[in-house]
Amino acid sequence: MTASLEQLRRCHFAVDLGAARTRVYVKGAGLVVDQPSVAAVNTRTGALIAVGEFAEKMTGRTPDYIRVARPVSGGTVVDIEMAQRMLRHLLGDRMRRSLRRKPRLRAAACTPHDADPLAQRATIETLVGLGARRVELVDTLIAAAVGCGLPVERAEATMIMVCGAAATQVAVLSLGSIVTAERIPVGGEAVDHAIVQHLRHAHELMLPSQSVRPLQLALSGNGLTPQGPSSTEIHGRDVATGLARSVRVDTAAVRDAIQTPLTAVLDGIYRVLRECPPDLVADVADRGIMMVGGSALLPGLDQMLRQATGVPVHIAERPDVCAVQGLGAMLEGRIEPLVLDPLGA
C-alpha cells in the first residue's frame, strides 16, 4: 500500500514512527521533531510525565509508580493511544494549532516493507487521532532511497539497506519500484542484547541499559574488524554481589558475540541477491549497497559487509533521517513521477 506522488504532494506533514526514534516533517517547515519514541507515565494518575529524550533518560531509573513505555515496536505502533499522546507533546501546541488550521489535513507515514494490514491500520489510526482526515502510507525502503538521493526511477538496480533498531530491511529497486526485498527481524537492539548477554555470561557483569551504546562507541573506527582496539574498560554491576564493578573487556570476544545477529543480516542480503535478475545483480556489484538507518552507524559494520559480499558499501550522509527526508521531498514536490505511457499501435 504505497501512495502515488500526486497524493503525497497534497499531504501537509509526514511521520516516521520508528522503534528507536520518531521524526516529523512539516511541509514548508522541514524536520520539526527528531526524538526517541519513549513516553513516561504516572501509573497512579495516568498523566504523561515526559516524552522523547527526557523520558529515555528515565529508563531503569524510575520509582514503581512511573512506567517508561515504548508505543512503537519494530516500526509498528503497538499502543495507539500512547503513540498519539507522545506525538501531541512532541509536536507542541503551536505546531498542532498550525496544522489544525488546514481545511482537510492530510498526513503521510512510513511503514515497514511487509507490514500486515493490522500494522498499517494502527499507523493510520494514530495519525487520524492527531486530526488527519486522510493518511497515505509509503514503504520505508522507497522513502529512504529517495531521502539519500538514489536514482530509484532509472532502469538500473539500486540496492538499499535500512538498518533499524528492531529490524533490517534490504531491497533492490528499479524503475521506482521494489524488485526484491527482505525484512530481517534483527537490528541494533539485537546487537545490544548480544553484547549484554556476553558480558553477563563471560564476566558476570550486568550492564545498565544506557551503557551499551558507549561500548559500541569504544569499538569505533575499525570497531568490528581486527584492526580495532584490543580491549576497553566497562563499568557495570556484579551479578552475584550487586556492587559496582569495572572489567577489562576483550573486544575480539565482543566481535565474536555479535557475529550471530550480523550473520542473519548477511543471509538476508544473499537471499535478496539470489532472487534478483542477473542484470540487476551486475548493477549492484558495480554501484554497491547504500546503508541508511540509525544502526548503519555501528562502527565497522560497512567494512564487515564489504569483506563478506565483495560489493562496495556506502553509508548515507545522514543515515538516521533518510526516510523522513525522503517523505519530505515527496511532500514538497521535489521528486518527478516516472510516467510509463503505453505505446500507440
Side-chain angles (χ1 to χ4, degrees), residues 111-115 139-142 158-164 166-173 178-187 263-276 289:
T111 55
H113 171 63
D114 60 351
D139 196 304
T140 302
L141 291 162
I142 298 286
T158 300
M159 190 166 190
I160 188 162
M161 179 174 165
V162 180
C163 308
T168 301
Q169 301 174 69
V170 185
V172 173
L173 312 174
I178 295 171
V179 180
T180 58
E182 184 86 18
R183 185 169 182 264
I184 307 116
V186 171
T263 300
V265 173
L266 274 174
D267 290 343
I269 293 174
Y270 294 148
R271 283 195 296 272
V272 168
L273 290 173
R274 276 200 301 270
E275 294 170 11
C276 249
I289 303 170

Side-chain angles (χ1 to χ4, degrees), residues 193-206 239 245:
H193 182 70
I195 293 173
V196 168
Q197 290 301 308
H198 166 72
L199 292 175
R200 188 182 181 94
H201 294 140
H203 300 279
E204 296 186 347
L205 192 76
M206 288 180 67
V239 172
R245 184 162 66 92

